[in-house]
Amino acid sequence: MVRNVGVIGLGAMGFGMARSLLRGGFQVHGYDVRKSALEQLAAENGIACDTPAQLAQHCGVLVIVVVNAEQTETVLFGPNGACDSLRPGSVVLACATAAPSFAASLAQRLAERQILMLDAPISGGAARAASGELSMMTSGVPEAYAKVEDVLAAMAKNVYRLGDQYGTGSKVKIINQLLAGVHIAAAAEAMALGMREGVDPAALYEVITHSAGNSWMFENRVPHILEGDYTPLSAVDIFVKDLGLVLDTARSSKFPLPMSAAAHQMFMMASAAGHGKEDDSAVIKVYPGIGLPGAV
């Protein structure tokens, strides 16, 4: 019998996850605020739903791949939200990057309705989402894992089980975002210095990606700069949010994070200059007079 799985949020990551589930033999119901995403899902043999509530009527597993805690709250508990339509024993996979305290609170509220949850942030980018090779940083009770092992296997290459305490998955994701944000900011700074000093940027990229200074973010994001293409796969404002969560988490225990704070300020500067909706590699635009490729 084909299992029904719902995916709420059909952006770059969510749509890839929906495709992986379809390829895995699941019947995928999807919801997104963008009509074009729903039309594309229907064209690929998924079922487009008009509201989260409609989607939840058919699905015992719900994968929420939205941007933040506020959007998670809305699709579950807002008007036409999914929560009232979910049957007892259903499982929610909360994939948004959010504060650990939000994950713990959300799990408790769902448990009061006899709905299970996994705190399940994701990493890997759009390409790995589409190929079913994500990393998932999960925490939750064994009963929830038992009900969704096949769903997790269809979406992820690495499913890290980090214990039964809700919020642990979110803590690990926040630390991952600390590194991701700092690495993008550092990559932008390195490329900006090279351009300022007259080094050919394509040659600089070639050398660094074969040297000890390379990072996954340098290798992945610098081509966007070289091509002058800032179409957002992950936006500047995502790292304004995520590094803000990093700093908020550390602030609560008075733990210093000077590199994270500096990177956060760079993303804030880029956002304030009007680049918030552009690809996160657009953080390089905070550096003046460097002659970026594709700049008018």
Side-chain angles (χ1 to χ4, degrees):
M1 184 175 181
V2 177
R3 289 190 71 187
N4 291 297
V5 178
V7 179
I8 294 180
L10 298 171
M13 298 291 282
F15 207 104
M17 294 162 75
R19 282 178 170 148
S20 294
L21 290 164
L22 286 166
R23 192 169 56 249
F26 296 92
Q27 180 66 73
V28 178
H29 300 248
Y31 171 76
D32 195 276
V33 294
R34 295 169 300 122
K35 185 178 179 181
S36 59
L38 295 175
E39 291 173 345
Q40 184 62 38
L41 180 68
E44 298 187 23
N45 298 316
I47 298 175
C49 298
D50 295 328
T51 66
Q54 180 188 3
L55 178 151
Q57 291 173 5
H58 304 284
C59 301
V61 179
L62 184 58
V63 186
I64 302 179
V65 200
V66 294
V67 172
N68 53 31
E70 291 75 17
Q71 290 185 6
T72 302
E73 178 82 17
T74 297
V75 300
L76 280 172
F77 301 105
N80 294 311
C83 203
D84 286 339
S85 297
L86 286 172
R87 297 181 296 276
S90 297
V91 183
V92 170
L93 305 184
C95 299
T97 303
S101 58
F102 174 77
S105 172
L106 180 61
Q108 181 177 352
R109 293 166 67 189
L110 291 172
E112 291 170 356
R113 297 169 178 252
Q114 298 181 300
I115 298 168
L116 298 164
M117 189 188 105
L118 287 182
D119 180 19
I122 54 179
S123 183
R128 291 183 186 176
S131 64
E133 296 180 306
L134 287 172
S135 291
M136 300 188 76
M137 307 158 208
T138 68
S139 58
V141 297
E143 183 183 357
Y145 283 105
K147 289 191 172 189
V148 297
E149 285 183 356
D150 55 344
V151 176
L152 296 172
M155 298 187 297
K157 180 179 180 180
N158 300 302
V159 179
Y160 296 102
R161 296 177 62 156
L162 302 167
D164 59 5
Q165 184 175 351
Y166 291 105
T168 304
S170 290
K171 288 178 182 178
V172 173
K173 176 59 187 295
I174 285 172
I175 294 167
N176 179 79
Q177 294 306 91
L178 181 162
L179 289 165
V182 168
H183 287 175
I184 293 169
E189 186 160 289
M191 291 302 298
L193 176 61
M195 292 176 192
R196 182 72 170 184
E197 294 298 316
V199 178
D200 176 69
L204 180 58
Y205 175 76
E206 176 68 16
V207 171
I208 296 300
T209 54
H210 293 88
S211 302
N214 192 31
S215 69
W216 191 91
M217 283 299 187
F218 186 97
E219 192 165 342
N220 184 265
R221 296 308 204 267
V222 170
H224 305 176
I225 297 169
L226 298 178
E227 296 160 10
D229 183 0
Y230 299 97
T231 303
L233 298 178
S234 174
V236 164
D237 278 346
I238 294 293
F239 277 97
V240 172
K241 171 186 76 78
D242 287 359
L243 287 172
L245 288 171
V246 169
L247 295 170
D248 287 345
T249 300
R251 188 178 299 114
S252 65
S253 59
K254 298 183 180 178
F255 193 80
L257 296 176
M259 296 179 69
S260 301
H264 188 238
Q265 286 298 307
M266 287 178 61
F267 285 103
M268 290 278 282
M269 290 168 64
S271 183
H275 308 302
K277 305 302 181 187
E278 297 180 40
D279 186 76
D280 50 34
S281 59
V283 71
I284 196 172
K285 295 182 180 182
V286 304
Y287 293 96
I290 56 173
L292 288 171
V296 178

